[in-house]
Amino acid sequence: MQNIPFYKAEAEMGKLPHPSLRELAHRGRLIRFKANSQIITQGQTGQDIYIVLEGRLEAYIHTNGRKERRLTLSNLNPGDIFGEIGLDGGARTASVCAVKTSLCAMVSGV
């Protein structure tokens, strides 16, 4: 995880599909995640949401059965938001990891 100055991501911010999404991203902190970095872990609490600016991430859950397995829920690409379910202070319902190096705006306590 590496913090990035906003001026280095102006091009990526401009590609977001809606002005309100760009405004929300500007309220956050830019973070670059290396490939295979765990960003959110299922079951933990947190009040941050993330806006994907660059890269690709995967949202997944671990199923509880005789053999625990990983089930992919979605692939997250630039313009996607994740982590919003945790805004109520409850447990995260899924995990998210970076599939490849990714840049996100992390907005705390929206």
Side-chain angles (χ1 to χ4, degrees):
M1 181 170 80
Q2 174 189 19
N3 287 315
I4 305 292
F6 265 97
Y7 73 88
K8 290 190 175 183
E10 283 301 319
E12 288 80 6
M13 297 287 259
K15 293 176 189 173
L16 291 173
H18 197 276
S20 60
L21 193 56
R22 289 191 291 274
E23 183 180 323
L24 181 61
H26 274 286
R27 292 182 185 191
R29 185 174 93 193
L30 295 179
I31 303 173
R32 187 171 308 280
F33 295 98
K34 293 180 181 179
N36 301 315
S37 296
Q38 189 73 29
I39 300 166
I40 288 179
T41 302
Q42 181 180 347
Q44 292 184 342
T45 59
Q47 291 190 336
D48 301 324
I49 65 169
Y50 299 82
I51 302 165
V52 182
L53 301 174
E54 177 183 281
R56 190 170 54 131
L57 300 99
E58 177 187 23
Y60 63 92
I61 60 171
H62 285 285
T63 61
N64 293 325
R66 288 183 68 196
K67 275 188 156 181
E68 187 172 295
R69 50 180 260 237
R70 181 172 161 157
L71 176 65
T72 299
L73 300 174
S74 67
N75 289 305
L76 302 163
N77 297 297
D80 289 336
I81 297 174
F82 65 96
E84 71 281 0
I85 293 174
L87 288 176
D88 66 358
R92 302 283 192 181
T93 57
S95 296
V96 176
C97 70
V99 174
K100 63 181 195 177
T101 300
S102 301
L103 179 65
C104 297
M106 181 183 80
V107 184
S108 298
V110 174

